[in-house]
Amino acid sequence: MRGADYVIRRIGFALLTIFIAITINFFLFRVLPGNIVSDLARVPHATPQLRHALTVEFGLDRPKWEQYLIYLRELVHGNMGISFASQQPVSQLLFNDLKNTIPMVAIGTLGAIVVGIGTGILSAWRRSSASDHVSTNLAIAFYAFPTQFLGLMLLILLGGLLPTSGMENPYAGVFGPQSTVARFQDIGLHLILPALTLLLTLYGEFTLIMRSSMLETLGEDYVLTARAKGLSDRRIIARHVVRNALLPIATLVALSIGWIVGGAILVEYIFSWPGIGQALWLAINQRDYPMLQGGFLILAVSVVVLNLLADLAYFKLDPRISE
Amino acid sequence: MSLLEVRDLNVWFSLPGGGELHAVQGVSFDLGPGERFGLVGESGCGKTTSILAMMGLLPPNASVSGEVRLAGTDILAGGEDSVRPHRWTDLAMVFQGAMNALNPVRNVIGQIAEPIMLHGSVSMAAEGGGASMAAEGGGASMAAGGGGAGRGGRGSAAAARKRAGELLELVGIPAAAGARFPHEFSGGMRQRAAIAMALACEPKVLLADEPTTALDVMVQAQITDLLVRLCEEFGLALVLVTHDLPVVAQVCQRAAVMYAGEIVETGTTDSLFHSTRHPYTRLLFAATPDLYADDDVMSIPGAPPRLDEPVTGCPFLPRCDSVVDRCATERPLLRVVASANGAGEAGEAVHAAACHRDDAGGTP
Amino acid sequence: MSAIATEGGSLTGTVSRARSGLIRQAIIERKAAALGLGIIVFFVVLAVAAPLIAPYSTTARTCAVFAPPSGSHWLGCDDGGIDMLSEIISGGRISLIIGFAATLIAMLIGGGVGILSGYFGRWLDTTLMRITDYLLVIPDLAFAMVIADVWGPSLSHVIGVIAILEWATTARIIRAQVMSVKERVYIKRARSIGASHLRIIGRHILPQVGPLLMANTVLTIAVAIYLETALAFLGLEDPTTTTWGTILEHAFDRAAVSAGAWWAIVPDGIVITLLIMGCFLLGQAIEDALNPRLRVAHLSSRRWALRPLAGRGPGAI
Ligand SMILES: Nc1ncnc2c1ncn2[C@@H]1O[C@H](COP(=O)(O)OP(=O)(O)O)[C@@H](O)[C@H]1O
Ligand code: SF4
Ligand SMILES: [Mg+2]
């Protein structure tokens, strides 16, 4: 098969990066000055029993290298410790948060990709026209808008029309059972503002990159060949330009996943969306270090995995990669 | 009537900083059915621009005037819309730089089959309908403007790919190799594939823009031979743009020499080579490099004039070795220097040049 | 020997002079670059002159809570009755210090790593590039949150966090450039006649990567300011300082939105946006000037034009 080597290498690389992330995570929390996880005095409301259980579970009375091995062993078994704040397993809490984050971020990001690619194509096609100027300048403006400012603006402008906080109406189930359809409608309404903020904050960069990538591709000789063959413009764009121009976008998406996560954290904070970004923020404010450590690890691993997927997408799009 | 008549073709490019570049200046020539015509000249003299203009393929910053008459009708008259139906069905092209003429992310056979699916193919119609190829071919070209209804087999992907495979075999590539991507082909194979692609809709005229540049010498010869063989086999007319004068002598019956956007000398290859009239052509022959030198090395001292400023007098003046008085003030026009009935007589022109020196009564 | 070395040196000199000339030309010729530079200069001047310009104190109450814009308080007041305009002017000072300082450190690390990695290659390159790989995929803001929290909120910590996060991209870009530059003939020649690595890097490589580093610096300032405001917004910056980021945080925290006090949010958001945009425009313009793409599109919504000519019609030649 073409480039089985390549795929294996990318997967190996992703695994290595995850391993580095885990290791750095360990050092960040236990070895650097502050020792916040092992410093049990910082555990709020901890009973002596809980302290003892934690000490045993994480081997806090052992040497650092042994703690590291224990940390790895526990991670492999899906154990990220117990949340100081809620006394529940971190992995379970984070799983719930992730479940809330994914739809909102996916909708916002996919929306941004679609809008960005669409406007980028149109801009390049009508290069130097008024619509190109408007679309390019808007893209630069939205690219420069800080996410939190954009979120606050949407709160000011649309806050009266749409729910601005949380994922569901907290009183929905109080006066009687709520149908599934009604519940999804409710969630959908709550999702609009956060997803829209994320979309607007991300799309500008996609527009700019797609536009310059399209212009580059429109100057390629094979586009001239396609024209000479008598193909219609629509067909040339669809079959010979867009796919080639999308290649840099795949790379860009891969590189901006960390960035997307950053945007998502801000958005969840502004709109109190009960996802993993919100959890991270809460963990910091509640000094809930196991949650913080676990949340950061989950985010880092997600980014590495998504990166891998983007790499593989690139591989699928470009037959020249075979190595 | 000639198959293709190019009349007073002019191309201007508007430049980003303002101003205009007059890249092609009144080019005219005829091409009979099955005839092979060479277009030579230094890099930047407007060869590529001329043949792109003939297919309406110029970029948006270009303006064009003149006529390109195909079997008597001016296909440029209606702009892009009137040329498009003739692309690939009547006029096909092999591009300069085999490297990038094929889309790197699509396989080769698909790119050859693409125009067949779109326009149909005469041979496929002939196979399918049992009609004679010649008759169907004539009908097809007439109908092409009306949407190519005369061509059969349109739309069938499998048939188009089968035909594309046959074309690959015809240029010496196994049909199975068509499933590969352009980057997996050598330069020579890519150029063969590009030629196969040009033949896909059985055009009447093939425009080849330096089809052998960037290939090594052995491969150059093979590609040239292939072009000649296919032209003879299919009765194709050929416009061959090249740096390589010996190739013109070998391939073409007639040729034109371009300088600074104009044709400065044209005639039968025989007459052009053996009774050269224009000083530029003469220097060009003298400067023709040996077989193994780089293609672009065709050095004549000095540089051609800028095309974004008007020129008074002869554009070749600063580099010319046989200047006469009129050269500085009056622009020389293309003038018949020999016709079928003898020099200076009325009759079919076999040789014309744009140089004052050869004017009747001029200095020898 | 010295003749050859100076020849190499002067060659680099001309090339780099030509390149910095290119940047100057880019700024003169491109409206976007001039606009970007203008914006940056404007904010720098504002930050430097902040104590002189700011009309009111940023600690003492000078008006009513969430007082709307008026003749005496152009941009109104925040929840503590503090003049917004003064806050924005002084906040810009700290934001710019953070942005510029973090960028400076990031450029020193990134430029250094890029040059070492690209110039020496081998295991050094491999090691350094694995580190950049990690930093490139790591979620910036989450990482910054964790570090800021572990270290504790202070100005220097925020600068440190941002610097650590932002050098990797620059290192990559510089490394690629160095790898191509070091293959050039005059550098190989200088090496073959025994010029020291330090000399080659200082005299030949640095001038070549300089303009690229400059474009990157400008772009990184934008990212640094963006991160600063985000961290501050999440409450991870020293709560006693005023920066463009903490102004938004305050407004959000103290329910400026529900109080209808848009003036506590909008002007601050606009200055952040403007500065980021200015950096983007200038950085992009320098990059474009260094790497011009002048290709003509073969296909566009516009077409070649048909131009009537006197000689049109049968009868020419
Ligand atoms: N799109 C364009 N815009 C501006 N000038 C162009 C463009 N294309 C070609 N030219 C100019 O037109 C002249 C003729 O170019 P070309 O036809 O490519 O020459 P040749 O094929 O003989 O080497 C050259 O001076 C070239 O710089
Ligand atoms: S017209 Fe004069 S200058 Fe021009 S080619 Fe002839 S002799 Fe030379
Ligand atoms: Mg050419």
Side-chain angles (χ1 to χ4, degrees), chain B residues 93-175:
Chain B
M93 196 154 175
V94 176
F95 288 94
Q96 188 172 7
M99 200 65 187
N100 305 317
L102 295 167
N103 186 339
V105 307
R106 313 196 80 98
N107 68 15
V108 172
I109 201 160
Q111 297 186 56
I112 299 175
E114 192 174 24
I116 305 178
M117 260 151 70
L118 195 69
H119 308 297
S121 160
V122 180
S123 295
M124 281 164 57
E127 278 165 27
S132 100
M133 191 171 142
E136 187 67 23
S141 89
M142 293 303 126
R151 289 173 187 260
R154 193 176 167 197
S156 157
R161 288 176 84 86
K162 182 168 165 285
R163 175 77 189 131
E166 290 165 15
L167 288 166
L168 278 175
E169 299 274 359
L170 195 66
V171 298
I173 298 175

Side-chain angles (χ1 to χ4, degrees), chain A residues 11-66:
Chain A
I11 292 176
F13 175 71
L15 288 176
L16 179 69
T17 315
I18 288 176
F19 177 72
I20 295 175
I22 290 172
T23 306
I24 289 187
N25 213 15
F26 175 82
F27 279 85
L28 220 53
F29 284 87
R30 293 216 210 159
V31 179
L32 287 181
N35 264 344
I36 31 190
V37 169
S38 49
D39 183 1
L40 292 176
R42 287 175 125 182
V43 181
H45 328 294
T47 59
Q49 288 89 332
L50 175 64
R51 280 183 201 180
H52 182 70
L54 286 172
T55 310
V56 174
E57 185 173 354
F58 292 105
L60 297 182
D61 48 354
R62 315 263 185 90
K64 286 285 185 286
W65 63 268
E66 224 173 299

Side-chain angles (χ1 to χ4, degrees), chain A residues 2 220-233 235 238-241 243-244 247 317-322, chain B residues 52 55-59 80 84 87-88 95-97 100-106 111 114-115 117-119 181 183 197:
Chain A
R2 172 178 73 99
E220 294 282 0
D221 290 345
Y222 54 78
V223 173
L224 191 60
T225 308
R227 255 182 94 194
K229 289 198 282 191
L231 309 191
S232 67
D233 296 345
R235 198 180 166 98
R239 312 215 22 165
H240 292 281
V241 181
R243 175 159 167 203
N244 300 58
L247 293 177
L317 279 171
D318 191 346
R320 281 166 297 184
I321 297 174
S322 53
Chain B
L52 287 181
M55 284 182 77
L57 292 175
L58 292 167
E80 179 88 6
R84 186 177 289 136
R87 289 186 186 149
W88 231 246
F95 288 94
Q96 188 172 7
N100 305 317
L102 295 167
N103 186 339
V105 307
R106 313 196 80 98
Q111 297 186 56
E114 192 174 24
M117 260 151 70
L118 195 69
H119 308 297
F181 290 93
H183 73 275
M197 186 159 76

Side-chain angles (χ1 to χ4, degrees), chain C residues 46 88 197 260 312:
Chain C
L46 205 65
I88 289 175
H197 289 312
R312 216 172 148 74

